[in-house]
């Protein structure tokens, strides 16, 4: 092959693109990977990893502030954002170096620069055109705003600007009560800021089970995080000290900053997708269950494809596409079987259907639910966290939804997604031995109860 011809040519080296590249190279395919920024994309550099580093620093601040509860005398003198950012950037740097080494070690050709689809199986970068027997579109996403709401990067910011702040703001309005909004609200409150969330929908984390949303709202109230649901944004203006945010009804909320966290949009504009006839909808690339677009030999993965905008979804889609190209005939990904985690304090995690979706699919008489309170779990008491495990199953059938609330419950979602994806019955999980004392026991106890064998639960 010429230096410009590949078996697989991938546009974008985020979670979906680099996973596809690594797996395709592992399967013996010649891979070209086009990327205008650093390898790893949004997740590694301005998304999942740096955000979760901030959240861990926030957890340390809370634990220090509350240390006497555990019999440890400590004083929180303040939050040094230079130190927090150094820690965060160090984590990102180490992972970036590791990924760069992996890509190089697999013999993948990295093509640096902004790529554009200029033919059904061609990508042009600068003055050079590259071709692939198969092309994978993985161009990722950007932080959205609202019509007429201008991001200035100083007082009106996105999550990417928030990750680079050199100070803890005294007060913040967070526009959007989804995952990103709730996570940053949690961080800033732990760091000592006054936080108000403005959300147009009726509840925070509206994509989660209603019981999980309500539990998070109760926890946020206890933490004195103010939130206004069913409250559409109207306008923002600069003041002498920050911003004044007007919401529907005329109320004005003043703060140092406005964080716009209204979701992420697909990076597809100006990349030639339309011109080459790729089927699109509102900027998203349409793909079937096998990630195939309407063009022969052109796939799409990650945030540009309608559905959950999660790094691990794109990652798994990338692996799937590489194996599909190699002729391994992998099983399509069940979107409902993709785990979802909000890393706030407390965390919210889920997999499968929520109660509303399960009821709509199987009828109210066709499902059963059970909620196990973490008050009965020893490790949760040690950690002083509150929450629950909520299970949803088809009547006399498999578990079709697992919903978790509490600190560190994101670490439990691995077993939960196995339970859902393997279509386990409560009786299948109940005999499994869960180590004591762990929060993992809560999953075991919940399934014991659902199987009619409740032990650490009041009748």
């Amino acid at each position: 092959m010429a230096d410009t011809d590949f078996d697989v040519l991938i546009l974008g080296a985020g979670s979906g693109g680099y996973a596809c590249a690594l797996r395709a190279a592992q399967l013996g395919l010649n891979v070209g990977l086009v990327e205008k920024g650093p390898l790893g994309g949004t997740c590694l550099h301005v998304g999942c990893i740096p955000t979760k580093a901030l959240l861990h620093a926030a957890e340390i601040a809370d634990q220090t502030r509350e240390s006497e509860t555990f019999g440890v005398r400590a004083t929180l003198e303040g939050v040094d954002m230079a130190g927090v950012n150094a820690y965060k950037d160090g984590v990102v740097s180490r992972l970036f170096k590791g990924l760069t080494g992996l890509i190089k070690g697999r013999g993948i050709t990295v093509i640096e620069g902004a790529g554009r689809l200029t033919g059904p199986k061609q990508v042009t970068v600068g003055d050079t055109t590259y071709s692939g027997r198969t092309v994978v579109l993985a161009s990722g996403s950007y932080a959205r705003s609202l019509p007429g709401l201008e991001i200035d990067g100083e007082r009106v910011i996105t999550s990417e600007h928030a990750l680079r702040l050199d100070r803890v703001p005294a007060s913040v309005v967070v526009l959007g009560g989804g995952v990103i909004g709730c996570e940053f609200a949690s961080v800033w409150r732990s760091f000592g800021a006054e936080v108000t969330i403005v959300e147009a929908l009726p509840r925070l984390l509206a994509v989660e089970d209603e019981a999980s949303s309500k539990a998070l709202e109760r926890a946020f109230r206890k933490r004195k995080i103010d939130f206004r649901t069913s409250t559409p944004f109207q306008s923002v203006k600069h003041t002498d000290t920050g911003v004044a945010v007007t919401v529907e009804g005329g109320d004005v909320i003043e703060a140092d900053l406005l964080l716009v966290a209204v979701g992420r949009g697909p990076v597809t504009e100006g990349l030639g997708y339309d011109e080459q006839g790729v089927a699109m909808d509102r900027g998203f690339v349409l793909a079937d269950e096998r990630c195939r677009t309407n063009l022969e030999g052109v796939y799409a993965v990650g945030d540009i494809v309608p559905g959950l905008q999660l790094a691990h979804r794109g990652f798994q889609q990338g692996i799937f596409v590489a194996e599909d190209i190699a002729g391994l005939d992998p099983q399509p990904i069940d979107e409902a079987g993709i785990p979802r985690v909000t890393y706030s304090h407390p965390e919210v995690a889920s997999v499968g259907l929520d109660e509303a979706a399960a009821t709509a699919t199987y009828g109210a008489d066709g499902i059963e639910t059970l909620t196990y309170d973490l008050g009965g779990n020893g490790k949760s008491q040690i950690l002083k966290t509150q929450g629950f495990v909520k299970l949803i199953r088809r009547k006399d059938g498999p578990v079709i939804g697992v919903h978790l609330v509490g600190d560190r419950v994101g670490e439990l979602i691995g077993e939960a997604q196995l339970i859902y994806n393997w279509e386990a019955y409560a009786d299948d999980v109940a005999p499994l031995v869960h180590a004591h004392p762990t929060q993992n026991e809560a999953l075991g106890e919940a399934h014991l109860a659902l199987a009619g064998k409740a032990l650490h639960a009041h009748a």
Side-chain angles (χ1 to χ4, degrees):
M1 282 189 172
D3 291 342
T4 57
D5 298 326
F6 301 94
D7 294 323
V8 185
L9 181 58
I10 304 165
L11 181 53
S15 299
Y18 86 69
C20 184
L22 288 171
R23 184 64 177 130
Q26 192 177 57
L27 292 169
L29 299 172
N30 183 26
V31 181
L33 183 60
V34 179
E35 177 54 62
K36 65 180 180 181
L39 298 175
T42 294
C43 170
L44 178 53
H45 298 281
V46 292
C48 318
I49 297 301
T51 305
K52 277 52 183 181
L54 283 186
L55 282 154
H56 184 61
E59 181 183 6
I60 299 299
D62 284 330
Q63 289 179 341
T64 305
R65 190 181 287 113
E66 300 160 6
S67 63
E68 285 198 18
T69 304
F70 304 94
V72 177
R73 294 176 182 172
T75 303
L76 180 63
E77 296 181 358
V79 176
D80 172 20
M81 281 308 298
V84 171
N85 286 331
Y87 152 69
K88 164 180 65 69
D89 295 343
V91 173
V92 172
S93 178
R94 287 189 294 275
L95 290 172
F96 172 63
K97 288 177 182 176
L99 176 60
T100 302
L102 280 174
I103 295 289
K104 184 177 180 180
R106 294 278 171 86
I108 294 163
T109 301
V110 176
I111 304 159
E112 297 181 1
R116 192 171 185 275
L117 194 67
T118 51
K121 296 185 180 180
Q122 291 182 337
V123 173
T124 298
V125 182
D127 297 328
T128 307
T129 297
Y130 302 86
S131 62
R133 288 195 297 110
T134 302
V135 169
V136 181
L137 308 178
S139 44
S141 62
Y142 68 94
R144 267 188 165 147
S145 185
L146 296 177
L149 177 53
E150 184 178 345
I151 306 294
D152 61 29
E154 294 182 0
R155 295 189 187 182
V156 181
I157 64 175
T158 68
S159 58
E160 295 185 18
H161 301 114
L163 288 167
R164 298 194 295 268
L165 281 181
D166 59 1
R167 70 195 188 285
V168 177
S171 56
V172 188
V173 173
V174 177
L175 179 55
V179 174
I180 296 171
C182 286
E183 288 186 348
F184 273 99
S186 188
V187 165
W188 279 324
R189 185 60 189 146
S190 295
F191 285 171
E194 297 294 325
V195 182
T196 302
I197 303 172
V198 174
E199 171 56 61
L201 295 174
R203 53 190 172 90
L204 301 182
L205 294 185
V207 298
E208 293 291 348
D209 189 85
E210 186 172 357
S212 297
S213 290
K214 295 304 181 187
L216 181 69
E217 290 177 359
R218 286 193 297 273
F220 273 15
R221 284 192 196 96
K222 189 173 180 180
R223 296 183 60 197
K224 294 183 168 45
I225 296 174
D226 187 23
F227 57 88
R228 303 189 185 193
T229 53
S230 300
T231 306
F233 166 86
Q234 282 195 338
S235 64
V236 60
K237 67 177 183 179
H238 285 204
T239 66
D240 291 341
T241 57
V243 294
V245 178
T246 303
V247 297
E248 191 172 273
D251 283 355
V252 177
I253 310 165
E254 295 197 12
D256 289 356
L257 296 174
L258 170 63
L259 171 68
V260 181
V262 293
R264 298 187 65 83
V267 174
T268 55
E269 187 176 351
L271 298 184
Y273 299 174
D274 277 327
E275 291 89 333
Q276 298 307 318
V278 176
M280 314 267 294
D281 180 26
R282 292 173 296 175
F284 288 94
V285 175
L286 301 180
D288 65 11
E289 64 174 5
R290 304 195 74 81
C291 300
R292 298 174 298 198
T293 71
N294 61 308
L295 300 185
E296 182 69 27
V298 179
Y299 291 78
V301 301
D303 288 355
I304 62 171
V305 179
L308 295 168
Q309 291 181 308
L310 298 170
H312 46 281
R313 172 184 181 247
F315 185 85
Q316 197 62 35
Q317 286 177 332
I319 294 171
F320 173 91
V321 165
E323 294 182 349
D324 203 53
I325 293 168
L328 300 185
D329 194 29
Q331 285 294 311
I333 299 164
D334 176 6
E335 291 271 324
I338 298 172
R340 309 169 290 272
V341 186
T342 301
Y343 296 88
S344 49
H345 168 39
E347 292 183 356
V348 177
S350 63
V351 65
L353 305 181
D354 64 14
E355 187 169 349
T359 300
T361 304
Y362 301 107
D365 295 333
I367 65 168
E368 295 175 319
T369 68
L370 180 136
T371 300
Y372 173 80
D373 195 291
L374 291 185
N377 176 255
K379 187 59 180 286
S380 296
Q381 290 301 302
I382 291 168
L383 295 173
K384 287 191 172 294
T385 188
Q386 297 177 333
F388 58 75
V389 176
K390 178 177 177 178
L391 304 178
I392 304 169
R393 72 170 172 186
R394 293 176 62 180
K395 190 161 285 186
D396 301 321
V399 173
I400 56 174
V402 181
H403 302 271
L404 311 162
V405 178
D407 289 337
R408 305 189 187 183
V409 296
E411 301 300 328
L412 307 183
I413 204 64
E415 181 180 358
Q417 66 100 3
L418 291 177
I419 290 166
Y420 171 84
N421 283 295
W422 287 348
E423 300 180 350
Y425 284 62
D427 286 328
D428 295 326
V429 182
L432 301 179
V433 179
H434 293 79
H436 176 76
T438 63
Q439 284 185 294
N440 197 237
E441 283 180 287
L443 274 174
E445 289 278 354
H447 284 84
L448 275 168
L450 193 59
K453 308 173 184 179
L455 295 182
H456 293 94
H458 295 286

